[in-house]
Amino acid sequence: MTSTDGSAGRTAATTSRPSDAAAAGDIRRFSRAERLVHRTTSWLMLLCVGSAAFLYVPQLAELIGRRHLVVTVHEWSGILLPVPFLAGLASRALRRDLERINRFAPYDREWLRAVRRRWNWAGARPAGKFNAGQKIYASWLAGATVLMVFTGLLMWFTGLFPLVSRTSATFIHDWLALAVGIVLFGHIGMAFKDPEARRGMRTGSVGRAWARREHSEWEDERAAERAAEAREAGR
């Protein structure tokens, strides 16, 4: 076959597009709404935990000096913390992922057993879109956030509750804040160990090879969900 002038250049231009090749090897993990909820919640959580540190650690408090401003930042970042999640419930993708997080499958128990026994070989830790550790972390953090907001309100509106309630709320709030800080920075540390997971939260897409390796049950999970949706649509 003969080629006309310029045809080879056009063919090369259409066949050697690395961005398309990379996209073909990717799979969609998070929607834009989910990423926005995660990003906004993360910044509010960091503001809340960071301002708490400057309020309770004397060495840090001396660096700022403007305690009233730090208290205001802490209070409002805490109050606003649930807002991104509540707004994100309008997203179907977020609601679907919440269903996944709230559903514990048999392979999640296998994942926990493998972690407990430190099994690291290929296939030892099966997981759907979210592994068992991520499900437990998300559920624990959601419960802790609700309790933190509630006890924070008890401490903020001091005239509405008796002294014993405020004292108990302060005790729970302080110790739970410490636990949240430890768990949160542990989460950040694990995220830095997995660049592909960070890319998924940053861009919404991850590599198929990574998905098969780290979330081996995800494809079957998606297939089951599509089949359930088809059955619902057929009724």
Side-chain angles (χ1 to χ4, degrees), residues 60-138:
L60 294 177
E62 292 175 358
L63 296 177
I64 297 294
R66 302 179 64 181
R67 183 176 178 83
H68 179 71
L69 175 61
V70 178
V71 169
T72 302
V73 170
H74 181 72
E75 290 174 342
W76 282 104
S77 60
I79 291 296
L80 294 174
L81 198 54
V83 173
F85 170 77
L86 295 175
L89 290 177
S91 166
R92 184 184 179 189
L94 179 60
R95 295 196 305 271
R96 182 178 295 177
D97 277 348
L98 287 177
E99 292 176 1
R100 293 184 176 114
I101 289 173
N102 290 325
R103 186 172 59 239
F104 232 70
Y107 51 74
D108 289 317
R109 288 187 285 273
E110 293 181 32
W111 189 95
L112 290 172
R113 182 169 62 251
V115 170
R116 187 172 64 252
R117 298 181 180 181
R118 299 184 180 181
W119 296 343
N120 292 314
W121 61 80
R125 301 182 181 185
K129 183 174 183 179
F130 303 101
N131 62 45
Q134 291 168 331
K135 293 178 179 180
I136 293 173
Y137 167 78

Side-chain angles (χ1 to χ4, degrees), residues 116-204:
R116 187 172 64 252
R117 298 181 180 181
R118 299 184 180 181
W119 296 343
N120 292 314
W121 61 80
R125 301 182 181 185
K129 183 174 183 179
F130 303 101
N131 62 45
Q134 291 168 331
K135 293 178 179 180
I136 293 173
Y137 167 78
S139 301
W140 183 88
L141 192 60
T145 299
V146 171
L147 190 54
M148 289 287 289
V149 171
F150 177 70
T151 53
L153 288 172
L154 290 179
M155 296 163 61
W156 192 356
F157 298 102
T158 56
L160 299 179
F161 301 96
L163 179 62
V164 63
S165 297
R166 297 200 305 272
T167 303
S168 302
T170 302
F171 177 82
I172 295 172
H173 193 86
D174 291 352
W175 283 103
L176 189 56
L178 179 61
V180 167
I182 293 172
V183 172
L184 180 64
F185 283 103
H187 173 70
I188 294 173
M190 293 184 68
F192 271 101
K193 294 180 181 179
D194 195 339
E196 192 67 14
R198 294 201 311 276
R199 183 171 81 91
M201 189 53 72
R202 188 177 67 253
T203 67

Side-chain angles (χ1 to χ4, degrees), residues 40-57:
T40 308
T41 303
S42 299
W43 281 111
L44 286 172
M45 181 68 79
L46 288 174
L47 268 178
C48 198
V49 172
S51 57
F54 279 94
L55 287 173
Y56 285 94
V57 179

